[in-house]
Amino acid sequence: MPEIYTELTPPTSVTHSLIFPFTSTTTPNLILTKTNILQIFTTISVQTELTAPVPSTPDAGIDRRIVGDGADEEQGDFAGDLTLQRTKFEDVAKLVLIAEFTLAGEVTGLARVAARHDGDDEKPDMLLIAVREAKLSLVSWDRDRQTLETVSLHYYEREEFWSPLVSEGLPSQLVADPGMRAVVLRFAEDMLAVLPLRQEGEDEEMLDGPGEEEDVEMAEGAEEEEDDWDPNAPEKTEVKRGERKGSTANGGKGKRKEAAKSGKLDLPFLPSFVVSAAQLDDAISHVLSLVFLHEYREPTLGILYSPRFTWTGWLDQRKDTICYIVITLDLEQKASTPIISVQGLPYDLYKVVPLTPPIGGSLLLGANEIIHVDQAGKTTGVAVNSYTKKSTNFGGLADQSDLCLALEGSTVVELEGEGGDLLLVTMSGTAVIVGFRMDGRNVSGVKITKIANHPGPLVGGYATTAVALGGKRLFIGCDEGDARILKWKRKGEKKKKPIMPGLHEGLEDQDVEDIYDMLDDVDDDLYGGSSTDLSGARKDSVFTDSRVGDHRATGEYVFQTHDRIINLGPFRSIAMGRPTFPSDALEKQRGVVPELEIIATAGPTSTPEDAGLTLMRRSIAPTIIGHFGFPACKALWTVRAKSMKAEATQATGPDEPTRSFDEDYDRYLFVSKEGESQVFRVGDTFEEVRGTDFDADGDTLEVGVVGEGARIVQVVGEQVRVYDCDMGLAQIVPMFDEETGEDGPAIVKAKILDPFVILLRVDGSVVVYKLDKSMELAEEERDCIKGVKYKSASLYKARKGEFFPAEDDKDADYLLAMMTEDRTLQVFNLPNLNSPVFSADHFSCLPPILKQSTETIPTSPRATTTSAAASATEDITEILLTDLGDHAAREPYLIVRNSQDDITFYKLFLASSSSISFVKSPNPVISTPRTNLAETPTYWQMVSMENVGGYACVFLPGTDPAFIIKTAKSPPRLHRLAGTAVRALSSFNTVSADHGFIYIDVAGGVRVSLLPQEWNFDNPWHTRKVYLNESLRAVAWYDPMSVCIAATTKRVPFSLDEDDGRGEFDETQLQPMIDSGSLTIVSPLTWTVVDRYEFAYNEVALVVNTISLEVSEHTKERRQLVAVGTGIFRGEDYSARGGIYVFEIIEVVPEPGKPETNRKLKLVTREEVKGTVSALCGVNGYLLAAQGQKIMVRGLKEDQSLLPVAFMDMNCYVTVAKSLGGLVLFGDFMKSVWFTGFSEEPYKMTLFGKDTQDMEVVTADFLPDGRQLYFVVADAKGAVRVLQYDPEHPKSLAGQRLIHRAAFHSAHEILSLSLLPRTTPTTPGQPEESHLLLAATRPGSLSLITTLPENSYRRLNILQNQIIVAEEHVAGLNPKAFRHVAVNDRTGEFLRGVLDRGLLERWIGLATGRKAEMAERAGMETSAVREEVRNVGGEGLGFL
């Protein structure tokens, strides 16, 4: 059957970063990419209490190494300074997400492009994105649509640009000129695509003549690639090939007129051209690195290249083969001029880093040295380890070999305001300071200093990107570790007083920056613009009245972590574990916990920093504080009332009365039953309130407080009752019809937000009450809305001046959002009900943008619908306008719920016209009712809660209960609540349940709960990262004892003189390092290591599995045991060996006070073998191991020894072995996959079929589908292939050759595939017993590969093609080309496409008319498409 690919969670590893004002002209934005995810952030300052307990997950607060036990002298002093001298609070920088986009391409670079300004109208700068396929996409921020607008596309994929000698898959490199005059894309090793950027006020001289031959050919090729791009799009200029040639021949004047007419002169760039590096200078070949340099009047490239090759073993014959050249570019003449050339550089140089003034020049990084090259070509450097003397004859290197640094893969970022000091982060995460000794304006030396308070890693392994944020803050993104915002200070640093006359002593950093910018503008006006940036030197000379660095603090650097983006990966190994709780909580948690959870490895292997385990759950398992039965309860509310004492104190005059401790907690619990209500006093127990004025008659519809908690409002069907804080009746507001003088229509819904009460009655009328100064509810004038019938209403309190001009008599703006029965959205600014401040007649279509009905709605140029589909509307039942967010940032969202409980998010924002608007935020989750319900709960409204576990969130009751949670780093997401359907829920805040919630399910069970602590909600699934500070290679779950088994490693020095590598080491010399492994038991109760088995010094576990092995030849008894395959390494001169271990987990007496230590590893048997044991699996009760080039099947004998019973020879190196009954699938690192079988009588391995193509298999697994057997294979390049064993196929040679059925590209390297059962009801035509594959990737994402029936595939394929062709794609990238894999199938078999659910999810977020139109073209109803899309998603993982 066909397959569909679903990405469950996005990647979490940051690959690129850039900071500049993108969404506005004033505020800088931090732009991040995570492989194919583009995120736009802003930074805010949050007050954080340093003395607060440090959380176990370092997402919030201060780095634990700073506020620690003071073991290190520096960190102790710094922590003391912060807590004693700067009070107990600190301004901590936090990231806040503005927007997130999924790209159809893997990002390889980002660059800033200056926007063209129209007169006085300033525009934010643009973003240039480079993707893996040698493409550039220029995008800008559309403020009115709150999305990216594609300005231009640039393709460089023509075959003549790619040499047959250049290997495929080489990454491209994007570099930008600091003066924003040009951008260069390096691709195909040495090809350079130069994109000149238009400068302000320059003449269009470059349009006057024909471009060079490469430019014309490139443009024509680009046009061929852009055939699918809509020529009617406003950002695209349609130029036919014939017109291009004609305009070139007709001279510059006609060409300029044509360009101006087509709008080409408004574009921020000029025509690009492609050259090879050798065309810039004949000597250049094999480019290693290139950058644009600072302080040059023309764009100038620094290029590091290697005209000759050498390697470590050939240094005696050839060394110092690297050259460095500086070339200035004449973009107008398309010419280049070499100005500096340095020959004979060390062979291990790999990177050029441009340096800003006052240092200037460039920095060359090598594995063993750092070399500075100034603008005159003078070199100065430093050796960082003892291998420099052996690897190079280059002179002029200062000796700091005692540092013992290895600089391969290092990342460098400048520390602003520190006189040119640089922070260098190595691949192991260790950070050092690179400083320069100055002799006047010349660099006389380079010095490296270690950071005293960070003797270990500063970040988690290899840093992929680093950027300065200003204000002494850095952002560092890591490949395998967490991304961080770091702030630094220097010991002994004092506030610098400005010397410039007239400057205030309390000048803030931002004000100082503004003055710098003002001085630059003055210089530009007096002397003209200059590309030389001397702002750094000016700052020191003006504000310190001395030369650079004289008055800077010279103390040691101290770094502090302010915020993190948690990296969940790399997922080298995953296992399915069971959520475990202490014995006293088991009964409470019963029924509200998912059956399984995902346990995966996380963090780097080169350092223990950020290493540990990642836990992932699809459904929220709340922490239950108390549980009791209350079947009669239909709904409930909690109330936080103010005491009479505080009320009296407030009446006597003080502005801020003293509140008692108990007033911060909920005081009453209101319960609605059938025809009556009850109220309970909240405490250690629930005590019913008696002897008060409370009236129990009638079903309660809503309960809330007004008057800052002094009045409790209870809404029942016929009236509104107002009580004081002691439940004394203060007021009754009956429903009264003024025209007839009789009782008015009954109330059906109500909303309460101090001081307003909104009542929606059965006839559709709305009544608004406001608490007056006499503490009574008074009806507001509503003449303008009397004749309108409404269906839903919501109240929202906006900050003063946020969306409307601030008024002196109002502390805040109260917005009343209402939906009429004809589904028109109206928003009123209370108390004004005369006219709405916003009205949208098209609300029922759920368009991407909700604008004022009188305004033109900005839409995509392709967003057109047929007349038949335009009449389609959504059956909206409820709207809710509320804040979503956490303690760092909250934003207003309009939440729309339809009759099927599907949720749509709209973000409220202020458009460029200063009017409020709403933009749709994607929500791919389709409601799935729970099965086997005791009853179907009656419809109840969504519940908005101000603080539940630190989140301002919304709960959706019903058959698919879920929380709507947004964090500062994520858009709003739907997180399902584990368990059954829910009748009602309310927030609950007491001493024992701090900021928790209370809810009642359909079975009548009431639970007082908390959101799970230490869990993170940044991703579609909530996660928890457990920092073990040990690198992990593999993980497994041992179900009989409910423990986690993890293979850990640590880096240790290695000596060739000893057999095991252990020896005496000189700490002043850089030693070779190897991994030394151990096997640990991690308790799921505390997630700490409770037992450990140490392997040999040079032995490391490569694979860990729990296998059911036959332990008795007579009884055939099987037992679950832990099998471990290891590798024993003695250096490259000796062949590697391995070991097979079998462990059993036994129960022992725990340590006092540590009940989790009652598990221990018991070694059953060990066998040393030739070759590393790279794969293990169980097959029919036997242990199968891949050792070197041989497969061995062993049985466990009665004497606990392993007996080989069968074997098979393989090709090169086995990377994966998976079994399905007696069938086994092998994957080879070079020779694709083999399909075999194991039989016992007689013992033998039989080859059924294999793939004849060469494929670098990383992982593979079975995918059975009914009576058909498929194999899914993932290689090292991100390609995923589906093969089939089909002996009846004529080209399979009776099954000896596996048939290729499908192939697609994954943006993320898949490291693990796990076969899982599918739990939800399948679609018609699908086998009852179906399976799915869970794919775990290197960047930390999860994906699903599932099969679906042929009919469903064809229908959804039509829908997918409609989305590809008809919808606008982010950055103009082609999703179909992105998933394409070039396959040279020798059988000539047709490969079908694999569906991408990410594209199908876009259908969910379309306007209703567009959805109906696409469904019609696919031959289905909208409801049928909804069911199809829902069934092929992650619903098969019901056990999570």
Side-chain angles (χ1 to χ4, degrees), residues 9 41 80 188 200 288 338 367 397 435 539 549 553 605 741 776 895 1076 1095 1166 1178 1257 1272 1370 1390 1394:
T9 62
F41 289 91
E200 289 293 334
L288 301 176
L397 298 179
K539 293 175 188 179
T605 56
E776 291 189 351
I895 303 174
S1076 180
F1095 295 116
R1166 175 188 184 271
V1257 178
V1272 177
V1370 179
F1390 172 76
V1394 174

Side-chain angles (χ1 to χ4, degrees), residues 26 28 415-418 468-473 488 496 503 507-521 533-536 538-540 543:
T26 56
L415 300 177
E416 295 178 339
E418 299 293 348
L469 302 180
K472 293 192 174 183
R473 295 173 300 172
W488 79 86
K496 187 167 52 179
L503 289 183
L507 203 63
E508 298 292 338
D509 292 342
Q510 185 62 43
D511 299 329
V512 175
E513 294 296 332
D514 294 339
I515 292 176
Y516 299 152
D517 296 338
M518 178 190 68
L519 293 175
D520 289 338
D521 295 338
D533 182 9
L534 297 177
S535 58
R538 182 185 293 115
K539 293 175 188 179
D540 286 297
F543 287 90

Side-chain angles (χ1 to χ4, degrees), residues 1234-1289:
W1234 290 24
F1235 175 45
T1236 65
F1238 170 72
S1239 60
E1240 300 183 49
E1241 297 179 1
Y1243 294 111
K1244 66 175 182 178
M1245 297 284 295
T1246 305
L1247 176 64
F1248 294 145
K1250 63 179 181 179
D1251 183 24
T1252 57
Q1253 301 185 32
D1254 294 337
M1255 193 188 308
E1256 301 175 10
V1257 178
V1258 175
T1259 184
D1261 209 334
F1262 294 92
L1263 183 57
D1265 186 65
R1267 299 181 61 86
Q1268 296 176 331
L1269 184 58
Y1270 296 95
F1271 314 102
V1272 177
V1273 184
D1275 67 11
K1277 298 179 181 179
V1280 181
R1281 294 173 172 84
V1282 180
L1283 288 74
Q1284 182 184 10
Y1285 175 70
D1286 186 5
E1288 299 179 359
H1289 195 282

Side-chain angles (χ1 to χ4, degrees), residues 68-315:
D69 55 2
D72 185 83
E73 182 180 355
E74 278 301 321
Q75 72 182 40
D77 291 342
F78 183 42
D81 292 342
L82 288 174
T83 54
L84 297 179
Q85 298 179 12
R86 300 192 62 189
T87 74
K88 63 180 180 179
F89 288 97
E90 173 78 4
D91 283 332
V92 175
K94 295 291 184 181
L95 290 174
V96 177
L97 181 70
I98 296 178
E100 177 180 290
F101 304 95
T102 301
L103 305 179
E106 300 167 38
V107 178
T108 59
L110 300 174
R112 177 183 181 181
V113 175
R116 301 280 291 174
H117 301 312
D118 298 331
D120 296 333
D121 183 18
E122 291 191 8
K123 298 179 180 178
D125 289 342
M126 301 180 183
L127 176 66
L128 188 65
I129 305 171
V131 295
R132 182 177 58 92
E133 298 83 4
K135 299 176 185 176
L136 294 178
S137 180
L138 183 63
V139 298
S140 62
W141 180 253
D142 189 336
R143 181 178 173 183
D144 289 331
R145 294 172 58 201
Q146 292 288 296
T147 187
L148 297 180
E149 179 183 1
T150 306
V151 178
S152 64
L153 299 172
H154 309 267
Y155 294 79
Y156 307 99
E157 297 176 292
R158 297 192 60 184
E159 293 183 359
E160 58 262 33
F161 296 153
W162 298 82
S163 169
L165 302 178
V166 177
S167 61
E168 296 181 1
L170 287 177
S172 56
Q173 178 188 4
L174 182 68
V175 293
D177 176 44
M180 290 187 286
R181 295 164 293 186
V183 176
V184 169
L185 175 70
R186 180 169 74 94
F187 64 99
E189 191 175 34
D190 285 352
M191 298 301 296
L192 306 178
V194 183
L195 181 65
L197 302 180
R198 197 184 302 273
Q199 302 300 302
E200 289 293 334
E202 73 171 347
D203 295 331
E204 307 301 330
E205 297 177 357
M206 299 190 72
L207 293 174
D208 291 346
E212 297 195 13
E213 182 179 357
E214 293 86 352
D215 183 27
V216 176
E217 292 182 356
M218 186 282 303
E220 293 176 4
E223 177 138 327
E224 293 176 4
E225 298 292 342
E226 295 175 352
D227 286 343
D228 290 340
W229 184 252
D230 186 4
N232 297 321
E235 64 274 12
K236 167 76 165 55
T237 302
E238 183 180 2
V239 181
K240 296 182 180 179
R241 189 176 308 172
E243 294 176 352
R244 180 186 298 271
K245 292 183 179 180
S247 62
T248 301
N250 290 334
K253 186 175 180 179
K255 186 169 186 176
R256 188 182 298 108
K257 288 182 178 179
E258 181 183 349
K261 183 178 179 180
S262 63
K264 197 169 184 178
L265 294 182
D266 294 333
L267 296 176
F269 57 87
L270 297 169
S272 65
F273 56 93
V274 178
V275 297
S276 65
Q279 289 179 268
L280 301 180
D281 190 276
D282 294 338
I284 301 178
S285 63
H286 303 101
V287 176
L288 301 176
S289 177
L290 82 161
V291 295
F292 278 99
L293 303 180
H294 297 267
E295 295 189 289
Y296 287 91
R297 301 188 66 87
E298 297 292 338
T300 303
L301 285 172
I303 303 177
L304 193 70
Y305 64 96
S306 175
R308 298 183 301 162
F309 283 116
T310 187
W311 66 290
T312 307
W314 207 13
L315 291 179

Side-chain angles (χ1 to χ4, degrees), residues 918-1073:
F918 297 85
V919 61
K920 185 181 288 188
S921 181
N923 174 34
V925 179
I926 300 177
S927 176
T928 305
R930 308 291 166 89
T931 58
N932 302 323
L933 296 179
E935 67 176 55
T936 301
T938 57
Y939 178 82
W940 206 256
Q941 299 182 80
M942 293 183 289
V943 182
S944 175
M945 294 170 287
E946 184 178 354
N947 188 352
V948 172
Y951 298 98
C953 60
V954 171
F955 181 76
L956 174 66
T959 57
D960 189 20
F963 282 95
I964 300 173
I965 298 177
K966 180 192 180 302
T967 69
K969 303 182 187 67
S970 77
R973 304 190 193 275
L974 219 62
H975 295 270
R976 287 187 169 98
L977 181 67
T980 184
V982 172
R983 295 177 185 170
L985 179 143
S986 176
S987 60
F988 191 81
N989 186 27
T990 64
V991 175
S992 58
D994 187 23
H995 296 299
F997 57 95
I998 182 172
Y999 71 99
I1000 180 168
D1001 58 27
V1002 292
V1006 177
R1007 292 179 172 88
V1008 178
S1009 313
L1010 299 173
L1011 281 179
Q1013 302 297 312
E1014 302 177 349
W1015 287 75
N1016 183 278
F1017 294 90
D1018 289 344
N1019 295 284
W1021 292 10
H1022 59 295
T1023 61
R1024 178 185 175 186
K1025 188 170 182 180
V1026 181
Y1027 294 88
L1028 296 177
N1029 291 324
E1030 293 187 71
S1031 299
L1032 272 68
R1033 283 190 174 269
V1035 66
W1037 179 261
Y1038 189 76
D1039 201 48
M1041 290 291 179
S1042 296
V1043 292
C1044 178
I1045 310 298
T1048 66
T1049 63
K1050 60 181 178 181
R1051 303 286 288 176
V1052 295
F1054 177 75
S1055 174
L1056 285 172
D1057 299 333
E1058 303 295 334
D1059 289 342
D1060 62 354
R1062 190 194 304 267
E1064 298 293 332
F1065 302 103
D1066 184 1
E1067 294 184 358
T1068 63
Q1069 301 292 323
L1070 179 63
Q1071 301 294 334
M1073 307 292 285

Side-chain angles (χ1 to χ4, degrees), residues 281-593:
D281 190 276
D282 294 338
I284 301 178
S285 63
H286 303 101
V287 176
L288 301 176
S289 177
L290 82 161
V291 295
F292 278 99
L293 303 180
H294 297 267
E295 295 189 289
Y296 287 91
R297 301 188 66 87
E298 297 292 338
T300 303
L301 285 172
I303 303 177
L304 193 70
Y305 64 96
S306 175
R308 298 183 301 162
F309 283 116
T310 187
W311 66 290
T312 307
W314 207 13
L315 291 179
D316 292 339
Q317 288 76 26
R318 180 184 294 175
K319 62 176 61 173
D320 299 338
T321 59
I322 303 299
C323 301
Y324 178 64
I325 189 171
V326 177
I327 296 178
T328 183
L329 303 179
D330 188 340
L331 299 178
E332 182 177 349
Q333 301 297 329
K334 298 181 181 176
S336 60
T337 304
I339 56 177
I340 296 175
S341 179
V342 182
Q343 311 289 328
L345 293 171
Y347 86 106
D348 55 359
L349 294 177
Y350 63 91
K351 188 175 184 179
V352 184
V353 179
L355 300 181
T356 61
I359 304 300
S362 54
L363 198 68
L364 310 182
L365 298 183
N368 306 311
E369 65 280 319
I370 296 177
I371 298 175
H372 177 265
V373 181
D374 65 11
Q375 294 181 340
K378 177 187 173 183
T379 59
T380 306
V382 58
V384 298
N385 59 54
S386 58
Y387 290 99
T388 309
K389 298 178 181 179
K390 302 177 183 179
S391 62
T392 181
N393 295 327
F394 186 79
L397 298 179
D399 186 12
Q400 282 191 271
S401 57
D402 57 329
L403 293 172
C404 299
L405 295 176
L407 301 183
E408 295 96 335
S410 297
T411 299
V412 175
V413 61
E414 182 181 358
L415 300 177
E416 295 178 339
E418 299 293 348
D421 284 359
L422 308 174
L423 178 70
L424 183 146
V425 183
T426 66
M427 284 194 69
S428 63
T430 303
V432 295
I433 302 296
V434 180
F436 300 91
R437 288 189 295 269
M438 304 297 293
D439 183 7
R441 294 178 59 89
N442 299 322
V443 176
S444 61
V446 182
K447 183 179 180 181
I448 299 179
T449 307
K450 290 191 173 182
I451 302 176
N453 77 307
H454 285 287
L458 179 66
V459 297
Y462 169 56
T464 55
T465 180
V467 63
L469 302 180
K472 293 192 174 183
R473 295 173 300 172
L474 300 172
F475 175 83
I476 300 180
C478 294
D479 180 40
E480 298 180 331
D482 298 344
R484 288 171 167 83
I485 288 184
L486 299 174
K487 184 171 184 178
W488 79 86
K489 69 172 292 185
R490 305 191 73 163
K491 185 178 179 181
E493 180 178 354
K494 297 180 180 179
K495 190 170 183 178
K496 187 167 52 179
K497 293 186 178 181
I499 303 299
M500 175 178 281
L503 289 183
H504 193 272
E505 293 184 1
L507 203 63
E508 298 292 338
D509 292 342
Q510 185 62 43
D511 299 329
V512 175
E513 294 296 332
D514 294 339
I515 292 176
Y516 299 152
D517 296 338
M518 178 190 68
L519 293 175
D520 289 338
D521 295 338
V522 172
D523 287 351
D524 291 343
D525 294 338
L526 291 177
Y527 307 109
S530 173
S531 61
T532 303
D533 182 9
L534 297 177
S535 58
R538 182 185 293 115
K539 293 175 188 179
D540 286 297
S541 62
V542 171
F543 287 90
T544 64
D545 197 23
S546 182
R547 290 183 300 174
V548 173
D550 284 355
H551 288 272
R552 290 185 295 107
T554 58
E556 297 171 344
Y557 286 90
V558 180
F559 287 87
Q560 179 182 16
T561 298
H562 276 197
D563 199 6
R564 294 185 184 228
I565 297 178
I566 297 178
N567 183 9
L568 303 177
F571 293 153
R572 303 180 188 88
S573 172
I574 65 172
M576 293 292 167
R578 298 186 185 276
T580 307
F581 301 92
S583 56
D584 57 346
L586 285 177
E587 187 61 33
K588 295 180 182 178
Q589 298 292 146
R590 193 180 307 277
V592 294
V593 178

